[in-house]
Amino acid sequence: MSVTAPKAARRTTSVRLAVEDCMADGICAEGVLVRLALHLPPTIGAAELAEVVLKVQPADAGDAARLRKVAGLLRCKPDVFAMLRATGGAVRHERDEDETNVAVVMRLASSFDAAAAISGAASVQLASLGDEARLTVTTNEIVAWLEAREFTGRERSILDIGCGIGRFERALCTSFKRMVGIDISPRMISIASEQCAALGNVELRQTSGLDLSEFADASFDCVLAVDSFPYLVLAGMADRHFDEIARVLKRPGWLALLNYSYRGSLLSDRDDIGRLAQARQLRVLIDGEKPFRSWDGDAFLLAG
């Protein structure tokens, strides 16, 4: 037996266990692919990974179908897997011990610029696989969820924190009176400005990411934050932004917060949001449900 055989077997086992971990929560095949791209070392290529995926024993028919789809994506679109690694790798989700909050925000702004340069669609949602049509499916799912909860309205003004490339400004443009999208990434704001150029009720601004001081008290009916709070949590800015959101919200007003953190503990996220909301006289109406088929985000809805 070759001396490399035990090492290869250990490698295969390690990858198989990673695949099984990434299959948790019943997320879609695209979500599994993203998790694998983010967590496996770059030495594991798409072809090798596809072979391991097909050897995983599924728990049920649903798992079997997801595994086949993941393997199919890896075999048919190895370039997409490489793109996910590059886009996801552009943004570091840890902070150095001596890194200040402001330094984290500045680093993230540059990181989002780099990610958007690789793929605009993947930079705002990796599970889109960089495909605009896939991104639209998830965007429309979120829009339908917001509208079903009467978050939008023709007379309402909305603040979109972390607007990215302006996808919600475009998708919701007939459902509000005014929408202001803010982001710390100049490249993302540039893309959003091009894509929303014809929308007269949309305003886009590059922001510091430190606060909402450019906005007056009680200036918005609703605040939307889709996948932006995990970075505010990372930068130590979550408490400050809850203060600011409570300040700029009219009463009654609504906050839709989709994904609070990436630490993998919904219980901790619920505890934090409950504490932050109570201190600012906000009520939690929806407490971390998973309502979307094409995206594994946790949805919170708060009222003031």
Side-chain angles (χ1 to χ4, degrees):
M1 179 183 292
S2 168
V3 294
T4 62
K7 184 177 180 179
R10 289 195 298 271
R11 176 186 173 99
T12 298
T13 298
S14 175
V15 175
R16 178 179 56 78
L17 291 173
V19 173
E20 292 172 351
D21 285 345
C22 291
M23 290 283 290
D25 308 326
I27 65 168
C28 63
E30 292 82 3
V32 175
L33 192 67
V34 168
R35 289 181 178 182
L36 291 169
L38 294 177
H39 294 110
L40 284 177
T43 53
I44 308 295
E48 178 186 0
L49 181 55
E51 293 300 319
V52 176
V53 166
L54 289 175
K55 292 177 182 177
V56 172
Q57 293 297 315
D60 52 38
D63 277 0
R66 284 192 298 149
L67 287 165
R68 288 194 299 271
K69 187 170 183 180
V70 171
L73 288 168
L74 287 164
R75 285 175 165 174
C76 298
K77 299 184 177 182
D79 55 329
V80 169
F81 189 62
M83 179 275 294
L84 291 175
R85 275 181 161 157
T87 307
V91 183
R92 181 161 57 90
H93 293 85
E94 298 84 25
R95 61 185 294 167
D96 300 328
E97 288 186 8
D98 59 348
E99 202 172 17
T100 66
N101 292 349
V102 174
V104 174
V105 172
M106 293 176 63
R107 170 170 61 81
L108 288 172
S110 297
S111 298
F112 295 145
D113 280 352
I118 298 168
S119 169
S123 69
V124 295
Q125 187 199 316
L126 285 173
S128 71
L129 308 187
D131 185 312
E132 292 288 348
R134 289 181 188 272
L135 180 62
T136 298
V137 168
T138 304
T139 302
N140 289 342
E141 260 199 285
I142 294 171
V143 166
W145 183 86
L146 292 170
E147 292 181 338
R149 280 139 194 87
E150 301 182 346
F151 182 82
T152 56
R154 296 296 295 273
E155 297 304 315
R156 289 184 177 174
S157 57
I158 301 175
L159 174 64
D160 182 10
I161 298 177
C163 66
I165 60 175
R167 57 176 174 143
F168 290 105
E169 284 68 18
R170 285 177 287 139
L172 287 166
C173 64
T174 61
S175 301
F176 56 79
K177 181 179 181 180
R178 171 178 176 253
M179 190 167 186
V180 180
I182 60 174
D183 206 286
I184 61 174
S185 164
R187 182 181 288 272
M188 285 185 167
I189 287 294
S190 177
I191 295 171
S193 296
E194 291 178 6
Q195 297 190 354
C196 299
L199 303 179
N201 58 346
V202 168
E203 180 183 347
L204 297 159
R205 303 185 189 182
Q206 183 183 346
T207 186
S208 69
L210 305 180
D211 54 37
L212 303 176
S213 58
E214 60 198 284
F215 302 112
D217 295 358
S219 51
F220 294 98
D221 299 287
C222 307
V223 174
L224 177 65
V226 180
D227 237 3
S228 54
F229 254 85
Y231 302 103
L232 295 173
V233 171
L234 175 64
M237 298 289 181
D239 283 45
R240 175 61 175 156
H241 272 74
F242 255 82
D243 284 337
E244 290 286 81
I245 289 168
R247 180 182 63 79
V248 303
L249 265 184
K250 297 177 182 178
R251 295 296 190 271
W254 291 265
L255 164 62
L257 197 166
L258 308 185
N259 272 352
Y260 176 76
S261 80
Y262 292 150
R263 57 190 167 188
S265 172
L266 180 55
L267 181 61
S268 296
D269 288 353
R270 284 171 170 161
D271 286 346
D272 277 4
I273 289 177
R275 170 182 58 81
L276 292 166
Q278 183 177 25
R280 294 155 183 86
Q281 291 77 53
L282 298 173
R283 293 177 292 115
V284 179
L285 304 180
I286 294 176
D287 196 16
E289 65 178 33
K290 285 186 178 293
F292 311 114
R293 295 186 303 275
S294 59
W295 181 53
D296 64 341
D298 298 322
F300 298 85
L301 183 65
L302 293 80

